[in-house]
Amino acid sequence: LPGSVLCLVLSLVSIALIPIGVGIVTTPWVLTGVRMFADWRRVLAAEWGGVRIPPAYRPLPKDANPWSRTFGMLGDPATWRDLRWLPVDMTAGFVTALLPAVLLFYPLEGFAIAAGLWRVFTDGGSTYWYGFVPVTGQASALGAAALGLVLLFFAHFLTARLLQVHFRLTRAVLGSNQGELAERVRVLT
């Protein structure tokens, strides 16, 4: 989440500063950072989820001036795919990446409540809610542990699938369009 927010904000500010000249210098650096961030996520998708997302960036000349680099990068459809991916990654991508961790760690709270932590949370006669279980004593704390056990059981089956959803969402937005590739081949032919 912080990386996506930072990349999006820096990109928008840098592109907005192009008309006054500052963005001509900063935009290539910022967009290179966005590309590095997107490439890192491509590597994670391949290593953790087995989802391959090939980069499709147009090459830029090494000795290009800042003007050529800026508008060369802005003219690349892959750059705009990266920029469209950032808001998706910081919203739906964040949720789909967070759910597997929650499914794994939330049951631990239920076990800790059953082990006696309920006394701290219900000190003074208040009710502590673990999921939908109101914990007021040891019996209801054991109910919280049972709910934690059920959640852990489902986590075993759902965690890998949720990560697949996350990486497929990333591929759907970051992956290159096959129609675009076919059009390039047609033009080159």
Side-chain angles (χ1 to χ4, degrees):
L1 181 63
S4 295
V5 171
L6 180 66
C7 285
L8 183 65
V9 168
L10 289 176
S11 298
L12 293 176
V13 169
S14 184
I15 291 170
L17 292 175
I18 288 175
I20 63 170
V22 176
I24 298 291
V25 177
T26 60
T27 300
W29 291 100
V30 170
L31 292 180
T32 300
V34 170
R35 287 180 177 192
M36 289 171 47
F37 183 67
D39 285 341
W40 174 64
R41 295 299 293 276
R42 286 180 175 98
V43 168
L44 286 180
E47 289 178 356
W48 291 8
V51 177
R52 306 266 180 244
I53 309 169
Y57 299 115
R58 292 180 183 167
L60 291 171
K62 299 280 186 210
D63 58 345
N65 61 22
W67 181 271
S68 300
R69 287 184 54 79
T70 299
F71 290 103
M73 292 178 98
L74 289 175
D76 189 352
T79 299
W80 294 103
R81 256 192 314 274
D82 289 352
L83 293 176
R84 278 192 309 265
W85 165 72
L86 291 171
V88 172
D89 186 54
M90 69 176 93
T91 53
F94 178 69
V95 170
T96 58
L98 187 64
L99 280 176
V102 168
L103 276 175
L104 285 175
F105 293 116
Y106 189 58
L108 299 178
E109 180 185 352
F111 301 144
I113 288 171
L117 192 60
W118 67 272
R119 289 182 183 94
V120 175
F121 292 139
T122 61
D123 192 28
S126 62
T127 301
Y128 179 77
W129 287 85
Y130 175 75
F132 57 84
V133 177
V135 178
T136 56
Q138 186 62 44
S140 56
L142 291 174
L147 177 60
L149 193 60
V150 169
L151 290 173
L152 197 58
F153 174 77
F154 283 114
H156 174 71
F157 296 107
L158 295 177
T159 301
R161 290 186 179 133
L162 285 171
L163 279 176
Q164 281 293 322
V165 168
H166 173 74
F167 292 128
R168 287 183 182 171
L169 173 69
T170 302
R171 181 178 59 194
V173 182
L174 267 185
S176 65
N177 187 356
Q178 294 299 328
E180 179 183 309
L181 182 60
E183 177 63 19
R184 285 184 184 177
V185 169
R186 187 191 66 76
V187 168
L188 289 173
T189 302

